[in-house]
């Protein structure tokens, strides 16, 4: 059998797939495993995560970096505020503004998935990066999304027991109240209904960042830790973090925004860690395909962000839940009965 290789059509299709599914709550890794298996033939051979010395994983790492770049570009004003806030906080050795608090909150929330990824990524990928497990986890992903939405509706219903809503600084609250006073923070309920992620609406973005900065450290850590589930092919990173945010009382638009901000350093770090492999044997002969796939992935990710930040202003995870369950069942039947 010839050495595994990547064609340009494969690279472009996978790049498009990665750019969309990494941010939609439907699992990019699950689709990266299932689509080649469903197509079969050369695609199943070339795009095999578990194959020895396969360039597919190296390619996926590269297009992940393109997705991270799209996230940074889309949220560039927010990341500028966050990075400046972190620098000032380090200089002054204290946290006095929402931007500074959000910067540290994102760092703290990223620690669990970073450690888990270093320890478990290879073992999980080689043992579960196959069509049947990916199909099962995709179904489970859909069930979790639907269940979270149902629990959220019950909590929001009159008389329902709503979970913690830690955003905002109640009157007389110590510590965090000083953080918001420094920037004229208006409270958790104000600014709702306006997208916090369009990129051109700075006021809405700042308001959302301030609401997110009002979370407790424990809550930020818990929501960030939900990304660990995305190590399982078929479980979505954004879906896990959005669901965790909803369960903790965040509105859909803030939960989605926090998920996208959290995903940026994780995706970028994972990609940059493995990117040097492109200079080794696994990257030989695929640099052109990597560039083509990365370009498509970056554009697709940016457009996906524009859609999703508007979508979650008024809509829920339910359509994605239905898609995951149906796609998982079809994939499971196809790969086990074919």
């Amino acid at each position: 059998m010839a050495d595994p290789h990547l064609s340009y059509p494969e690279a472009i299709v996978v790049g498009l797939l990665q750019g969309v599914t990494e941010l939609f709550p439907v699992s990019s890794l699950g689709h990266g495993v299932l689509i080649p298996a469903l197509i079969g033939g050369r695609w199943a051979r070339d795009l095999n995560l578990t194959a020895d010395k396969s360039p597919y994983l190296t390619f996926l790492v590269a297009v992940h970096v393109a997705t991270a770049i799209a996230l940074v570009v889309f949220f560039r004003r927010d990341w500028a505020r966050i990075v400046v806030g972190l620098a000032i906080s380090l200089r002054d050795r204290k946290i006095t503004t929402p931007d500074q608090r959000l910067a540290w909150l994102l760092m703290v929330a990223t620690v669990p998935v970073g450690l888990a990824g270093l320890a478990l990524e290879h073992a999980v990928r080689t043992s579960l990066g196959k069509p049947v497990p990916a199909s099962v986890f995709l179904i489970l992903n859909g069930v979790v999304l639907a269940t979270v939405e149902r629990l959220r509706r019950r909590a929001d219903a009159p008389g329902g027991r709503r979970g913690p809503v830690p955003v905002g600084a109640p009157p007389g609250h110590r510590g965090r109240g000083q953080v918001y006073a420094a920037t004229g923070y208006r409270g958790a309920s104000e600014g709702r209904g306006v997208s916090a992620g369009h990129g051109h609406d700075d006021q809405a973005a700042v308001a959302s960042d301030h609401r997110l900065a009002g979370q407790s450290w424990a809550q930020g850590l818990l929501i960030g830790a939900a990304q660990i589930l995305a190590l399982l092919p078929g479980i979505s990173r954004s879906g896990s973090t959005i669901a965790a945010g909803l369960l903790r009382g965040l509105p859909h638009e803030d939960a989605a925004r926090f998920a996208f901000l959290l995903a940026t350093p994780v995706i970028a770090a994972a990609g940059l860690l493995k990117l040097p492999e492109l200079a080794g044997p696994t990257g030989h002969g695929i640099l052109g395909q990597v560039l083509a796939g990365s370009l498509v992935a970056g554009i697709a990710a940016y457009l996906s962000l524009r859609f999703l930040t508007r979508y979650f202003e008024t809509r829920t995870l339910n359509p994605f839940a239905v898609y995951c369950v149906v796609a998982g069942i079809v994939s499971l039947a196809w790969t086990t009965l074919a």
Side-chain angles (χ1 to χ4, degrees):
M1 182 178 69
D3 291 335
H5 198 60
L6 288 170
S7 67
Y8 277 94
E10 290 169 341
I12 291 172
V13 170
V14 173
L16 176 63
L17 193 70
Q18 160 63 29
V20 173
T21 58
E22 180 64 41
L23 301 172
F24 279 68
V26 296
S27 178
S28 63
L29 183 56
H31 282 75
V33 172
L34 290 173
I35 295 300
L38 294 175
I39 295 175
R42 176 178 176 175
W43 286 64
R45 184 181 72 248
D46 291 351
L47 310 180
N48 185 349
L49 281 177
T50 61
D52 185 39
K53 297 181 180 179
S54 170
Y56 187 35
L57 179 61
T58 305
F59 173 81
L60 285 179
V61 166
V63 295
H64 269 75
V65 173
T67 302
I69 292 173
L71 281 161
V72 171
V73 171
F74 188 83
F75 291 109
R76 58 192 178 277
R77 296 184 182 92
D78 310 281
W79 279 113
R81 292 196 310 272
I82 290 168
V83 170
V84 170
L86 178 61
I88 295 174
S89 178
L90 288 170
R91 183 197 66 189
D92 298 341
R93 298 184 180 181
K94 58 183 178 181
I95 301 173
T96 57
T97 70
D99 289 335
Q100 293 172 15
R101 183 179 173 84
L102 181 58
W104 284 105
L105 194 64
L106 289 169
M107 291 181 63
V108 168
T110 301
V111 170
V113 68
L115 295 176
L118 289 173
L120 302 174
E121 184 272 336
H122 178 75
V124 171
R125 174 178 55 83
T126 54
S127 60
L128 298 177
K130 302 171 184 177
V132 171
S135 300
V136 172
F137 284 124
L138 188 61
I139 295 170
L140 180 61
N141 186 71
V143 171
V144 169
L145 297 183
T147 301
V148 167
E149 285 292 355
R150 185 172 183 180
L151 292 174
R152 182 58 183 260
R153 284 199 306 273
R154 287 182 179 178
D156 289 341
R161 294 185 62 186
R162 188 177 177 81
V165 186
V167 288
H173 184 71
R174 296 181 180 179
R176 268 183 281 167
Q178 299 173 353
V179 171
Y180 302 116
T183 57
Y185 176 73
R186 298 175 299 167
S189 62
E190 297 187 43
R192 292 281 301 278
V194 179
S195 172
H198 284 181
H200 61 267
D201 193 336
D202 286 341
Q203 185 177 4
V206 171
S208 180
D209 283 349
H210 290 188
R211 292 195 297 270
L212 293 174
Q215 300 176 93
S216 68
W217 299 108
Q219 170 154 311
L221 188 68
L222 178 65
I223 296 175
Q227 295 181 94
I228 295 174
L229 296 174
L231 293 173
L232 303 172
I235 302 296
S236 166
R237 181 192 312 278
S238 62
S240 298
T241 45
I242 292 173
L246 291 176
L247 289 176
R248 298 299 299 173
L250 295 180
H252 284 82
E253 62 268 32
D254 285 356
R257 178 180 179 80
F258 195 46
F260 297 146
L261 290 174
L262 279 171
T264 306
V266 174
I267 296 173
L272 293 175
L273 187 65
K274 291 184 175 289
L275 204 56
E277 293 181 8
L278 283 173
T282 56
H284 180 68
I286 65 168
L287 292 182
Q289 293 90 322
V290 166
L291 290 175
S294 297
L295 179 62
V296 172
I299 294 172
Y302 187 88
L303 294 177
S304 296
L305 283 167
R306 285 182 62 88
F307 170 79
L308 289 171
T309 51
R310 288 172 169 84
Y311 175 90
F312 282 116
E313 290 177 12
T314 57
R315 297 179 178 86
T316 71
L317 293 168
N318 285 327
F320 306 110
V322 173
Y323 167 79
C324 288
V325 171
V326 172
I329 292 174
V330 171
S331 299
L332 184 61
W334 183 276
T335 55
T336 55
L337 300 178

